[in-house]
Amino acid sequence: MNQATQPGITRPTVLVTGASGYIAGWIIKYLLEEGYTVHATVRDPNKPSSVGHLLKMAEGAPGTLKLFKADLLDKGSFAAAMEGCQIVMHTASPFVLEGFTDANEALVRPALEGTRNVLESVNACASVKRVVLTSSVAAVFGDNDEIGQTPDKVFTEEHWNNTSSVSHNPYQFSKAVAEREAWKMQQMQTRWDLVTINPSMVYGPSLTPGSQSASIDTLVQMGDGRLRTGVPKLTYGVVDVREVARAHLLAAFKPEASGRHILNATELTMLQIANILRRQFGKAYPFPRMEAPTFLVWAFGPLMGPITRSFVSKNVGYKIRFDNSRSRALGVQYRPVEETFIEHFQQVVNDGLLKKKR
Ligand code: NAP
């Protein structure tokens, strides 16, 4: 029996910001299944693609879902949702890697001002005792070549991203400045503590068809032929969305939880991800079969999308590694990543997000 459903035990009420998101969907599912009351904020509670799946999962679940409207850039807009909450899980932040012209407006300002805005409301809300922040390994490092400066050639929670900026890796910059701000604000008081979850690239089935998360788009690209001619020799840390969601609950309810937690199951190159998919789905989709020579990626990458020459020279060809021991000590158990990618790609197919190769 879990804490929320034990008779006589007070159930903390939990605020989840960005409730419509890919990761938040799983967090809310687990909270509702375990009997918690969830105050969920979205920008538009009347938009079926944002909240339809949440309302459905709340039907018949032991927990209770209450929807609230809040915007990261709207000062004070989280206050009503926070009333009576003991735990705040702040997941909302734009996760887009392309399709914008002003990186500051699209990414950095919502991430930084949004975190400040949420935490100012936490400061004003006496019931809140703990904040769990969805940060990222993007707040740990900026470019893969930084692995060379680590003592044991492994990224740990000790590291901070000091290299990203609005013009170079703006998403990474947005996560680094937001997490720094959160720690700064936490250290200015003693009532609430802060635990951060720092996932690498998150994959695995999505509970929402509406998410704009870059996690979903990168998997679509693998199967729709856009990468048919070859992938850059890029290594990513990868982790299942369900582990990331579980980590939020462990961080929230384990009294001894503290500090940062890298969430990473393993490291894979883009080609290794494609190979996992090809082994399962055969020749039905035009998965990439080779790595493109780095000089070609350097020459043509900038013509094809958001990939810059500076990004290529600092990332392509570098192996990276993460220490996940703090998350395992928290209680996270990692499933094999094959399961993650196969289930996720199957869902992309089922949702009609790509067409089968003729
Ligand atoms: P997602 O599906 O795009 O979710 C992000 C959420 O942020 C959306 O639901 C969106 O809500 C909300 N949001 C964006 N701008 C907002 C604003 N101005 N005001 C209020 N809400 C706003 O992405 P995700 O992958 O689940 O990411 C969730 C968190 O995990 C983010 O903090 C991200 O940086 C972090 N993270 C993700 C990954 C990954 O690989 N997916 C890895 C590491 C960390 P609306 O419905 O209102 O648009």
Side-chain angles (χ1 to χ4, degrees), residues 17-25 41-44 47 49-50 70-74 77-78 90-96 106 110-111 114 133-138 171 174-175 197-203 206 208 210-216 239 241 244 248:
T17 71
S20 53
Y22 169 51
I23 296 173
T41 70
V42 288
R43 272 184 286 186
D44 184 356
K47 197 167 146 193
S49 63
S50 293
D71 192 308
L72 291 170
L73 295 172
D74 187 357
S77 67
F78 291 88
H90 178 36
T91 85
S93 203
F95 182 33
V96 285
L133 174 74
T134 318
S135 186
S136 170
V137 293
Y171 169 71
S174 77
K175 296 305 287 181
I197 300 300
N198 298 67
S200 55
M201 272 305 279
V202 182
Y203 292 97
S206 172
T208 160
S211 163
Q212 301 294 308
S213 174
S215 285
I216 297 165
V239 60
V241 65
V244 176
H248 281 75

Side-chain angles (χ1 to χ4, degrees), residues 55-331:
L55 294 170
K56 211 165 166 198
M57 72 173 74
E59 279 170 22
T64 306
L65 177 73
K66 293 183 185 164
L67 293 175
F68 294 84
K69 181 181 165 70
D71 192 308
L72 291 170
L73 295 172
D74 187 357
K75 237 174 148 17
S77 67
F78 291 88
M82 207 173 285
E83 233 171 83
C85 292
Q86 286 76 43
I87 306 280
V88 169
M89 294 188 184
H90 178 36
T91 85
S93 203
F95 182 33
V96 285
L97 302 176
E98 54 186 316
F100 51 82
T101 45
D102 184 339
N104 192 52
E105 282 303 306
L107 290 164
V108 183
R109 199 162 80 86
L112 178 57
E113 284 184 24
T115 298
R116 213 176 268 149
N117 187 9
V118 168
L119 295 182
E120 275 167 6
S121 292
V122 169
N123 279 339
C125 182
S127 59
V128 179
K129 300 289 179 261
R130 177 166 291 179
V131 174
V132 179
L133 174 74
T134 318
S135 186
S136 170
V137 293
V140 171
F141 79 107
D143 291 296
N144 288 9
D145 66 353
E146 290 158 35
I147 198 78
Q149 295 144 32
T150 62
D152 300 312
K153 307 286 171 280
V154 59
F155 290 122
T156 74
E157 287 84 356
E158 294 290 305
H159 297 105
W160 275 94
N161 175 357
N162 292 314
T163 61
S164 298
S165 65
V166 178
S167 55
H168 178 70
N169 291 338
Y171 169 71
Q172 287 85 334
F173 184 58
S174 77
K175 296 305 287 181
V177 292
E179 193 192 322
R180 274 189 197 285
E181 183 69 11
W183 284 114
K184 196 173 105 194
M185 290 181 71
Q186 192 280 326
Q187 278 149 21
M188 285 164 76
Q189 55 76 56
T190 53
R191 182 196 4 106
W192 52 273
D193 60 12
L194 176 66
V195 185
T196 71
I197 300 300
N198 298 67
S200 55
M201 272 305 279
V202 182
Y203 292 97
S206 172
L207 296 169
T208 160
S211 163
Q212 301 294 308
S213 174
S215 285
I216 297 165
D217 193 48
T218 51
L219 212 63
V220 172
Q221 283 184 31
M222 281 277 175
D224 71 3
R226 267 181 283 174
L227 301 173
R228 188 197 305 254
T229 50
V231 278
K233 192 175 182 165
L234 263 178
T235 305
Y236 292 105
V238 294
V239 60
D240 194 284
V241 65
R242 293 159 286 193
E243 269 77 273
V244 176
R246 279 276 170 229
H248 281 75
L249 273 73
L250 291 163
F253 305 127
K254 271 196 153 180
E256 69 276 21
S258 67
R260 309 174 89 193
H261 300 83
I262 288 178
L263 262 278
N264 182 64
T266 191
E267 300 80 14
L268 290 174
T269 63
M270 290 180 84
L271 189 60
Q272 285 171 320
I273 297 172
N275 289 341
I276 291 173
L277 296 175
R278 187 176 313 96
R279 276 197 293 276
Q280 177 70 18
F281 296 95
K283 293 181 178 144
Y285 300 93
F287 300 119
R289 288 183 168 275
M290 60 186 155
E291 280 171 342
T294 300
F295 76 91
L296 281 183
V297 180
W298 188 86
F300 296 112
L303 305 177
M304 295 185 303
I307 189 161
T308 63
R309 289 195 175 136
S310 164
F311 176 84
V312 174
S313 58
K314 292 174 183 196
N315 291 278
V316 175
Y318 289 94
K319 274 193 181 160
I320 51 169
R321 208 156 57 84
F322 297 94
D323 179 350
N324 67 6
S325 52
R326 287 202 91 242
S327 61
R328 283 187 284 110
L330 184 68

